[in-house]
Amino acid sequence: MMAKSTANGLTGRKALLARGSLWNFVLKLISVVLLFYAELLVAGALGLAEYDLWATAVSWLTILAVLAALGMNTLVVRQLPAFISTGARVRARSVLRWTSRRMVLAALVLGALLLLGRHRLSGQGGELAPVLLVIALMLPFQVLLLHSEAALRGFSRPLLSQVPQLLLRPLLFVVLLGAALQVGFRWTAERVAVAALISLLFSWLFAWARLRSVVGQELGQGVPQSPDPAWRKLVAQLFGLQLAGVLVAQADPAMLYALAPSGQAGIYAVAGRLAMFLSFAQVAVNVVLAPLMSSLHATGARAELQQHLRRAARGIALFTLPALVVMWWTGPWLLSLFGPGFE
């Protein structure tokens, strides 16, 4: 009877991984199409010189959001499923409160520093300074959205966790851009940043409302305890890995803006956006796999964990390798769609 129950549980988790990965793949595909269309609209409305400012500002937002997160969003994804699977509901509440407060405080401090130093980062021309001002306002909401997304993933809501960031936010952004262009509105990099702030704000409100509902269902009422001292050590390790990853992936446009001729940061950023297509399978699988791994590790199911990892790695490779060939073949044509100067 126990062996049958274990087999049923394994089969159910396989189905969950496959079904969740498929739906996340579809959501990621829709998101990338929306983002691609939004970038086409922005590039066409701004031109290469103004787009250069926008791409650099987005690079700063991404870097500072990871700095402000302090690795705590990853801690939530890792610890929350383990606490829930072992019935430690009070500890689950504690990790949510402890991480959210510190992430918001760090975002406010970094936002204030960016506000004070925006003119120095802008260089002699100063064109970037107004855009960075809006980015400073966006930073706390970006971090809150990251925390809500991580918490929903930790509660085994992988699809719901992705909806605000991957669907709602780019959809609102495209609607704002398209509607303004229809009435002849003249876009600048600063105005594009304001549109991005509006879409971010509504996306976070949606995520916050859904998370509040899920917390009530999963954890009920309770008073959080003091944080576990081990969390600080774990956060330091996770933060280092996360920071290294974002610097490799997102720091280049900001560096190019400071060091290279005008327009190079914008071209590089567009190429980076197109390369997101290659991460489809990895993102779709990881969103479902990360909380499942945490839960299996907490319950000691090491053999099953290794089995899921092998299956996920094969699925990612089967998609990514052919996608790489397609991207290499069509890359120049895709860049030309963004307008003069992007070829």
Side-chain angles (χ1 to χ4, degrees):
M1 181 67 71
M2 184 177 295
K4 183 177 179 180
S5 175
T6 302
N8 289 338
L10 178 59
T11 302
R13 283 189 284 269
K14 286 180 181 178
L16 174 64
L17 179 61
R19 186 170 60 251
S21 298
L22 176 61
W23 280 111
N24 275 284
F25 182 88
V26 172
L27 182 60
K28 180 70 175 175
L29 178 61
I30 295 171
S31 174
V32 169
V33 170
L34 286 171
L35 288 172
F36 180 75
Y37 183 59
E39 294 298 330
L40 284 176
L41 290 176
V42 172
L46 296 182
L48 181 56
E50 282 275 327
Y51 186 86
D52 208 41
L53 301 176
W54 167 241
T56 304
V58 170
S59 177
W60 275 112
L61 175 63
T62 306
I63 294 169
L64 292 176
V66 171
L67 287 172
L70 301 170
M72 293 188 178
N73 54 329
T74 308
L75 177 72
V76 170
V77 174
R78 179 169 175 170
Q79 296 293 101
L80 198 56
F83 291 154
I84 293 173
S85 63
T86 56
R89 297 177 184 272
V90 174
R91 297 192 73 192
R93 277 190 172 275
S94 299
V95 76
L96 287 175
R97 185 178 70 168
W98 186 73
T99 52
S100 64
R101 290 182 174 181
R102 280 153 183 79
M103 287 172 67
V104 171
L105 178 60
L108 292 173
V109 171
L110 288 175
L113 291 175
L114 179 61
L115 197 64
L116 294 173
R118 67 187 188 279
H119 292 289
R120 182 176 293 274
L121 293 173
S122 299
Q124 293 183 352
E127 299 93 345
L128 186 60
V131 192
L132 291 180
L133 187 149
V134 182
I135 295 299
L137 298 176
M138 292 177 67
L139 187 57
F141 298 107
Q142 177 73 17
V143 168
L144 285 168
L145 182 58
L146 287 175
H147 185 267
S148 297
E149 178 185 333
L152 288 169
R153 285 178 63 187
F155 281 117
S156 299
R157 305 307 201 272
L159 189 62
L160 178 61
S161 72
Q162 299 294 291
V163 167
Q165 183 78 287
L166 295 185
L167 183 60
L168 185 58
R169 185 175 177 181
L171 181 60
L172 289 171
F173 190 49
V174 166
V175 169
L176 288 171
L177 289 172
L181 287 172
Q182 286 295 320
V183 298
F185 185 77
R186 183 183 176 278
W187 284 104
T188 63
E190 183 181 3
R191 291 172 179 177
V192 169
V194 172
L197 172 60
I198 294 171
S199 61
L200 171 62
L201 179 59
F202 278 98
S203 300
W204 167 69
L205 287 173
F206 174 85
W208 173 78
R210 297 311 305 154
L211 176 61
R212 186 177 181 183
S213 174
V214 170
V215 168
Q217 295 171 14
E218 295 285 344
L219 302 183
Q221 300 296 322
V223 179
Q225 294 178 337
S226 300
D228 190 329
W231 293 350
R232 293 184 174 88
K233 182 178 180 180
L234 183 57
V235 159
Q237 298 170 355
L238 296 173
F239 174 65
L241 293 172
Q242 215 171 20
L243 180 60
V246 79
L247 288 177
V248 169
Q250 298 292 339
D252 295 341
M255 293 174 62
L256 285 171
Y257 179 82
L259 302 175
S262 176
Q264 295 302 304
I267 296 172
Y268 187 93
V270 166
R273 305 279 198 277
L274 294 174
M276 288 171 54
F277 181 73
L278 300 178
S279 66
F280 265 19
Q282 181 183 356
V283 172
V285 171
N286 284 353
V287 168
V288 182
L289 189 62
L292 179 60
M293 288 173 58
S294 177
S295 180
L296 292 174
H297 186 271
T299 54
R302 303 295 177 85
E304 184 181 347
L305 189 152
Q306 292 178 351
Q307 186 177 357
H308 286 308
L309 284 175
R310 284 195 297 269
R311 184 175 290 106
R314 293 192 192 105
I316 292 170
L318 284 173
F319 173 83
T320 304
L321 293 177
L324 179 62
V325 175
V326 173
M327 184 63 64
W328 174 79
W329 185 263
T330 62
W333 172 75
L334 289 171
L335 283 173
S336 69
L337 296 177
F338 288 83
F342 286 93
E343 300 89 346

